[in-house]
Amino acid sequence: MTVQQEALAGGEALEVWIDQDLCTGDGICAQYAPEVFELDIDGLAYVKGSDDELLLAKGATAPVPLPLLTDVVDSARECPGECIHVRRVADGVEVYGPDAE
Ligand code: SF4
């Protein structure tokens, strides 16, 4: 079973972060999952906290709500900067994104 299948089958808690150093600012992620991603005035994408505030700290993570998992995964797959990382909260293993197996 792949880490992706494990994560889905187990309903494991996932979190997402963006490497802004690689973000192209095209906004694909914010189109796919506006509940999770948003562009700031600097033109780069950030994840949002539970209060809808952008999390501007480097490497900041936001939880991935299960109903939005498909949208977040599509964002990671389509991200031209390859800078959206989805990982398991429990052990930090990347499940979707450039560093996933
Ligand atoms: S899809 Fe990737 S490159 Fe495009 S704005 Fe979002 S994080 Fe940045």
Side-chain angles (χ1 to χ4, degrees), residues 18-90:
I18 295 174
D19 182 354
Q20 277 83 21
D21 289 346
L22 298 176
C23 176
T24 70
D26 57 86
I28 289 174
C29 55
Q31 288 174 23
Y32 279 17
E35 303 89 344
V36 178
F37 305 112
E38 190 174 315
L39 297 186
D40 198 13
I41 51 173
D42 64 3
L44 302 176
Y46 293 85
V47 295
K48 295 205 250 188
S50 54
D51 55 2
D52 245 23
E53 284 293 306
L54 296 193
L55 304 178
L56 302 177
K58 197 169 179 62
T61 62
V64 180
L66 200 53
L68 298 177
L69 178 57
T70 303
D71 293 333
V72 171
V73 170
D74 285 347
S75 301
R77 287 195 174 129
E78 301 293 327
C79 170
E82 297 190 352
C83 54
I84 297 177
H85 302 262
V86 180
R87 66 188 183 195
R88 276 197 302 248
V89 173

